[in-house]
Amino acid sequence: MVSAVMPTYLRQPVAFVRGQGVWLYDALGHAYLDALSGIAVCGLGHAHPKITAALAEQAATLIHTSNLYQIPLQDELAARLCQISGMQQVFFCNSGAEANEAALKLARLHGHRRGITAPEVLVMEQSFHGRTMATLAATGNPKVQRGFAPLMPGFVRVPFGDTQAINQALEQHPQIVAILVEPIQGESGVRMPDQGVNDWLHQLRTLCDTHNLLLMLDEIQTGNGRTGRYFAYQHSAMLPDVVTTAKGLGNGFPIGAVLVQGKAVDLFSPGMHGSTFGGTPLACRVALATIEQICNGAMANAEEQGAYIQTSLRQRLRTFDVEITGLGLMIGVILPKDAPTLVDAARKAGLLFALSSGNRIRLLPPLIITKEEADLLIDRLTAVVSAFLNTPEAQ
Ligand SMILES: Cc1ncc(COP(=O)(O)O)c(C=O)c1O
């Protein structure tokens, strides 16, 4: 059957009919270990009883009223996010791209406040920030930009992790007012900065303080417990000015947020930004329930199981030219060559993950994965990777 859905996605030949914890099931009852979590979304796994209950209860009480009225659940969620993060104010939206759009508007406002009429934002090569026109221009991947020229102006790009390049860019572009960066690059294949996340973030913080720039961290993928802290910057003793989040915040229910502190507070005033669906009672209730579970065990488990999976994979794949990278349950397995058949082979063996840049396996399993399930993941991954690397085509 020809689908009437626009062909924007290259879909795998499988549909899931239900999920439970880390498992997804197809119509024939085959079980798949979901080591992708809907691309870092279902951190608490599928059909989590607390999330189901929050969703059902709130849906039966009040779904939506609009931001024309007070929404106490929004205030409650904003307060909780600020308490967790050290930030001061929150704007709610519905997706990662929308959160980054809001952040980019904040950067422009910060620039105009400084008297800069054509502000620019510094972004990284190989970054991913979304598919809307502004976030597409911010994204450092020519493939996703192809066909959409003219791209929105106002971005300057440097290599990820390169502070010297940032210094040069700042000299050449005095209109730069903000840096937008992922602490660990996700979509391009779990890329860590060479100097480590901690040093990288501290270097960025110092540069932003020196030059009066907003430090804007895109934690859409790294946030919500994924790396073993609520946000990845919490591995370091520093605060960004702006943090964007979405994905895991609603465990599959759409919600995004922009958190600000310091000089990014009160840049927006009434009428400057908005979203019909942003921060509905339903979305906020689900996010509050999700945060509670992340903070009560899931995040700590992500740190523990993440370290275990990384160590085990290093050991099990030691005879191959393979690099294991990442933090918490955001794990990359970098293969010595492109592996176009690997995702299919793994799915047939009951394991779901994604591949980036041709040779970078991305593992983003639910934060609630047990040690036994982690062992299964390790066994299945080791088997498919070994089989692939032992075939003549991979030599
Ligand atoms: C770091 C990062 N930023 C932004 C986005 C865009 O989020 P969304 O697809 O919800 O618009 C993604 C999605 O993969 C992401 O990983």
Side-chain angles (χ1 to χ4, degrees), residues 110-394:
H110 173 65
H112 293 156
R113 200 180 258 190
R114 284 180 48 191
I116 296 173
T117 49
E120 293 183 311
V121 175
L122 192 90
V123 289
M124 305 294 138
E125 287 172 9
Q126 286 152 334
S127 60
F128 185 82
H129 298 296
R131 303 279 192 161
T132 58
M133 287 311 277
T135 59
L136 186 70
T139 289
N141 179 350
K143 258 201 218 158
V144 304
Q145 294 170 334
R146 195 172 301 141
F148 300 112
L151 293 178
M152 211 185 99
F155 295 99
V156 175
R157 199 173 304 285
V158 296
F160 184 60
D162 190 340
T163 39
Q164 211 179 328
I166 297 180
N167 273 314
Q168 273 169 12
L170 291 173
E171 262 172 42
Q172 286 162 8
H173 300 267
Q175 26 341 7
I176 291 175
V177 296
I179 300 180
L180 174 65
V181 61
E182 299 154 85
I184 301 168
Q185 293 186 323
E187 289 303 288
S188 64
V190 192
R191 289 174 198 265
M192 308 274 278
D194 285 344
Q195 62 273 59
V197 176
N198 187 38
D199 283 359
W200 170 231
L201 291 180
H202 280 286
Q203 287 160 6
L204 289 173
R205 183 67 273 173
T206 305
L207 279 166
C208 286
D209 288 342
T210 310
H211 297 273
N212 192 9
L213 317 177
L214 292 185
L215 176 54
M216 311 203 297
L217 295 185
D218 178 340
E219 293 243 20
I220 286 152
Q221 192 150 150
T222 51
N224 303 299
R226 174 69 33 204
T227 71
R229 298 287 182 278
Y230 198 87
F231 288 113
Y233 71 80
Q234 293 175 308
H235 289 278
S236 316
M238 55 79 70
L239 275 184
D241 302 298
V242 179
V243 186
T244 56
T245 180
K247 285 193 181 280
L249 182 57
N251 204 52
F253 193 88
I255 178 167
V258 185
L259 286 60
V260 299
Q261 65 91 30
K263 51 184 177 283
V265 165
D266 285 337
L267 282 170
F268 281 145
S269 54
M272 282 184 134
H273 198 48
S275 160
T276 296
F277 292 126
T280 63
L282 183 58
C284 292
R285 177 78 187 276
V286 174
L288 279 162
T290 304
I291 291 172
E292 194 183 322
Q293 297 305 310
I294 292 173
C295 293
N296 289 330
M299 188 162 85
N301 188 61
E303 184 166 38
E304 192 182 329
Q305 298 307 326
Y308 175 66
I309 293 171
Q310 281 208 42
T311 309
S312 307
L313 286 176
R314 253 180 225 117
Q315 167 68 14
R316 297 277 293 273
L317 294 169
R318 68 188 179 285
T319 57
F320 299 107
D321 179 18
V322 162
E323 189 193 330
I324 315 293
T325 185
L327 197 56
L329 284 174
M330 183 168 181
I331 300 173
V333 180
I334 306 162
L335 305 174
K337 68 174 284 170
D338 285 3
T341 55
L342 202 66
V343 167
D344 280 345
R347 191 185 62 252
K348 286 174 189 156
L351 178 65
L352 306 174
F353 57 71
L355 197 72
S356 294
S357 310
N359 70 329
R360 302 174 80 100
I361 296 172
R362 287 164 64 203
L363 300 174
L364 300 159
L367 313 182
I368 46 116
I369 192 168
T370 63
K371 161 100 172 24
E372 292 69 35
E373 290 161 344
D375 280 330
L376 257 180
L377 189 168
I378 293 158
D379 285 348
R380 290 182 183 182
L381 187 73
T382 304
V384 287
V385 167
S386 305
F388 170 71
L389 292 177
N390 280 328
T391 57
E393 56 156 328

